[in-house]
Amino acid sequence: MSIIVAIANEKGGVAKTTTTLSLGAALVETGLEVLLLDLDAQANLSMALGIDSAKVGKSMVSSLLESLPLQDAVIETGIPNLDIVPSTAEMGLVERYLPIRSQYEQVLAQSLAANHWKYDFILMDCPPFLGATTTNALMAANLLIMPTQAEFFSINALRSMMALVRKIRTQGNPQLTYRLLLTLYDRRNRIHRTMSEQLRATFGIGVLDTIIEVDTRLRESSIAGLPIIFHSPKTRAALQYRALAQEILVYVKETDRQPA
Ligand code: ADP
Ligand code: MG
């Protein structure tokens, strides 16, 4: 069984896409097979892998709105063992048309369940709002990773994420667990230090030990169309995303969900 991970937060710019890509690459580097699902109409994840979303034929939209089997929309990224179902601008239509279907919250979970995947992990990059798409991702997920900055408004935004997690647990995915991931962290910033301490005091083990610090090489790597792990393997961000992969692997072992 694949381990299905949603990377979501209703705030934009908190490193959801960067985390999906970098964690995926770090897992692949350990010898695992990973599928990425780009669920955002902005298609940043697809673009970061050099995929021109305007030229994509089959995509997440084909699967969610046109009932194309998900496996038929999978494409290779050029990085061995890392595949993706890309997004297109039409992904915006999902928010409007998916809710017309009955039990629309389960569409993605069902299309994932309809295939026997070879992947150890399936990572889903969610859009920056809590609509039909994010709901579908959370219904399908074993684990939610919430990238968050150590700033007041980011921490405030977690409230609505938490409310959604509770709703998803009662409405069809009782096993859903979550972990917060501190991103874009600046050690020299006193507010960041205070806020991260508060987060740990409030959420305890709900906060991952790994912290992703600000690293400008991440911007360069997305321009280069390569995950940081492969673009600049020795930079701080590469090391920290590798540490995140290890922490997730330990977590998965402890919760007894062995990779495929
Ligand atoms: P989201 O998907 O949540 O909107 P992104 O992953 O697109 O966020 O990140 C937003 C911006 O911040 C991007 O330009 C990205 O390259 C940059 N970024 C992400 N993480 C870091 C980091 N650790 N250090 C520096 N820049 C980062
Ligand atoms: Mg994004």
Side-chain angles (χ1 to χ4, degrees):
M1 259 198 2
S2 313
I3 291 144
I4 305 176
V5 184
I7 293 91
N9 189 324
E10 71 170 329
K11 238 177 139 331
V14 294
K16 288 183 292 298
T17 301
T18 304
T19 297
T20 309
L21 180 63
S22 310
L23 174 61
L27 288 167
V28 161
E29 196 184 44
T30 72
L32 297 174
E33 292 186 74
V34 177
L35 174 65
L36 307 174
L37 304 185
D38 189 347
L39 300 180
D40 188 359
Q42 291 183 25
N44 290 338
L45 179 64
S46 306
M47 290 188 307
L49 284 160
I51 296 163
D52 181 350
S53 75
K55 293 193 184 134
V56 158
K58 297 164 186 166
S59 69
M60 278 312 307
V61 185
S62 332
S63 167
L64 290 172
L65 291 184
E66 294 151 23
S67 305
L68 180 85
L70 192 56
Q71 63 268 27
D72 293 355
V74 171
I75 57 177
E76 292 177 353
T77 64
I79 296 163
N81 297 328
L82 186 68
D83 293 345
I84 185 171
V85 179
S87 176
T88 66
E90 269 119 54
M91 197 62 200
L93 298 174
V94 168
E95 290 301 314
R96 214 182 327 152
Y97 294 109
L98 195 62
I100 295 169
R101 290 175 60 167
S102 70
Q103 295 203 305
Y104 77 90
E105 296 96 336
Q106 300 285 355
V107 171
L108 180 55
Q110 280 164 3
S111 46
L112 280 166
N115 189 43
H116 187 77
W117 301 97
K118 63 173 178 169
Y119 305 103
D120 301 284
F121 281 87
I122 297 176
L123 307 182
M124 305 179 285
D125 184 25
C126 294
F129 44 82
L130 306 183
T133 307
T134 302
T135 299
N136 262 268
L138 296 189
M139 279 293 183
N142 305 119
L143 170 66
L144 159 65
I145 296 178
M146 273 181 279
T148 188
Q149 278 178 276
E151 281 167 14
F152 179 73
F153 289 110
S154 300
I155 291 175
N156 219 26
L158 293 177
R159 280 178 221 282
S160 38
M161 284 301 296
M162 292 300 164
L164 182 60
V165 168
R166 283 192 293 272
K167 190 175 141 202
I168 299 285
R169 280 178 179 160
T170 57
Q171 293 186 356
N173 187 6
Q175 317 287 356
L176 179 66
T177 55
Y178 70 84
R179 288 289 183 271
L180 294 164
L181 172 68
L182 274 167
T183 55
L184 290 153
Y185 188 80
D186 179 0
R187 266 177 213 287
R188 292 161 306 177
N189 182 324
R190 195 165 49 82
I191 294 174
H192 280 194
R193 293 201 305 269
T194 315
M195 284 292 184
S196 74
E197 281 163 23
Q198 275 186 22
L199 264 184
R200 288 196 194 282
T202 310
F203 291 98
I205 60 152
V207 186
L208 290 159
D209 291 335
T210 308
I211 292 178
I212 310 296
E213 292 177 59
V214 171
D215 185 344
T216 48
R217 295 305 265 300
L218 273 169
R219 294 205 181 90
E220 293 170 23
S221 74
S222 46
I223 293 162
L226 262 184
I228 187 79
I229 303 281
F230 302 120
H231 178 259
S232 315
K234 299 215 168 90
T235 53
R236 191 159 64 184
L239 299 179
Q240 290 175 341
Y241 274 111
R242 280 195 197 99
L244 175 65
Q246 288 307 322
E247 194 175 355
I248 297 296
L249 286 170
V250 168
Y251 169 81
V252 162
K253 259 200 192 123
E254 282 170 356
T255 53
D256 221 28
R257 278 200 217 92
Q258 299 294 335

